[in-house]
Structures are given as structure tokens and as C-alpha cells.
Amino acid sequence: MAAFRCTAKLLKAMKATPETRPHPSHNRLGEWTANLVRVSRIQLVIAVSEPTRFAVVIDAAPYAAVRERFQHALFHALLHIGIPADAAASEVEATYPLEPAVSNCRSVLGTLNRFADEVASALYHGQACSAAELTRQLSGTIVLKPAHIVFPADRVREAFGLAPIDRRKMFPMLLPGDSRLH
């Protein structure tokens, strides 16, 4: 069980009644805070884990199934950053049921707003065409506040007892004399 803290705009769209006192989260990634984001005619939901700032993006419609679709997208996002399938499935299962609640953390809302700007930019510039691609793109985003986060995907991997992602392998730098320069 985990709290799914939503902005007023998202709660209204989902027609969800928020829990006044959601139960404590029993999962590794804690509570999630979500917002409805509109980019032109595209409507998305971005959800961010409070302790790790890891983001998951899903299509907003149908609103009644946002929580269930979020859990499905979370599973795939965890697989993408190298969480073993059984551990990812256990994490998703531990979030069930997601309890709708009112968002309450300005810091997380600040991260959500920054991610919304990045999502809008990626869509406008054709860098992503789906919610899954946007989730993958946000998994490599650097978070400066709070300062201990830096790479949200690394904080998630730590929560599962895994080493950080080796970015040297993911993003090899071009060195002088490299044949790819010619």
C-alpha cells in the first residue's frame, strides 16, 4: 500500500476522493506525487517518488484507471533501469492499492514542475513520442534539489541494493583519435 498524492487538478480529473490520512507506505519507493500535464492537445500524468524523485509518465486518459496504469508503467520503468523482474513485480505489488491523497510536499511539486517542462520540451522537439519514451528520458535526468538525489535512477537502484548505473558504459565519451570523430 502506498499513497498516490495528486494535485487538485488531477484529483478532479480522476473524480477521486482523497484519503485524509493515507496509510504509511509499505514499499521501497515510498509515496508518489502526481500531476496532470497538458502539452498542446496531449494530456499526461507524471508521478514522482518522494524519496528518490524517480519519475513515471503515463497517458492521462482514461482517468479512472490512472492508478492501475501507473503501476504497470512503474514495473516497466524499473526494468529499464536494471531492477530484476521479480523485485520490480514485488515493488508494484507492495504499492497496491494506491490510495489517492492530496499532494503535500512543495519540494516534490517543484521536481514535478521541472519534469513537466522537460516533457514539454521533449515532445515539442520530437525527442520522445510516447509516455514510455518520456519515462526513459526522465530516468537519466539530474535532480539538483534535494542535493543528495542527483540521479533518481541511482537512488532507486540503491533502494533495491544495487550499484549505481555505470554511465561511462551508457554514454561513452568520444576521445581524440576515436574513429567515430572522422
Side-chain angles (χ1 to χ4, degrees):
M1 181 174 294
F4 193 65
R5 296 192 174 276
C6 303
T7 60
K9 180 171 45 174
L10 180 57
L11 283 170
K12 182 178 178 181
M14 290 171 45
K15 298 180 181 167
T17 304
E19 295 289 331
T20 54
R21 287 191 194 155
H23 292 87
S25 296
H26 298 293
N27 59 328
R28 295 174 195 236
L29 301 181
E31 293 185 347
W32 290 82
T33 300
N35 191 16
L36 177 61
V37 176
R38 291 184 173 102
V39 180
S40 190
R41 289 189 274 152
I42 300 169
Q43 295 185 25
L44 302 166
V45 172
I46 303 174
V48 174
S49 161
E50 184 174 342
T52 66
R53 299 304 202 267
F54 187 70
V56 175
V57 181
I58 60 171
D59 293 316
Y63 293 106
V66 162
R67 290 177 283 167
E68 293 80 12
R69 288 183 297 105
F70 162 76
Q71 290 171 312
H72 180 76
L74 173 60
F75 175 76
H76 290 284
L78 293 174
L79 292 178
H80 172 72
I81 62 166
I83 305 300
D86 59 338
S90 293
E91 176 64 15
V92 170
E93 188 175 307
T95 66
Y96 186 82
L98 279 171
E99 290 185 301
V102 175
S103 58
N104 66 349
C105 181
R106 288 180 27 197
S107 175
V108 176
L109 290 171
T111 301
L112 265 171
N113 288 335
R114 181 167 171 259
F115 285 169
D117 290 342
E118 290 194 30
V119 162
S121 177
L123 290 170
Y124 282 132
H125 294 98
Q127 297 167 334
C129 297
S130 69
E133 288 176 358
L134 290 165
T135 297
R136 287 190 290 274
Q137 191 167 3
L138 289 177
S139 73
T141 299
I142 295 174
V143 173
L144 300 175
K145 289 184 181 180
H148 72 281
I149 299 290
V150 185
F151 290 105
D154 288 349
R155 301 300 75 81
V156 171
R157 290 179 56 84
E158 285 174 2
F160 285 87
L162 300 171
I165 295 169
D166 186 352
R167 285 171 178 72
R168 293 173 297 170
K169 290 180 182 175
M170 288 180 63
F171 308 105
M173 297 184 65
L174 296 177
L175 300 172
D178 191 325
S179 62
R180 293 176 288 176
L181 290 174
H182 304 291

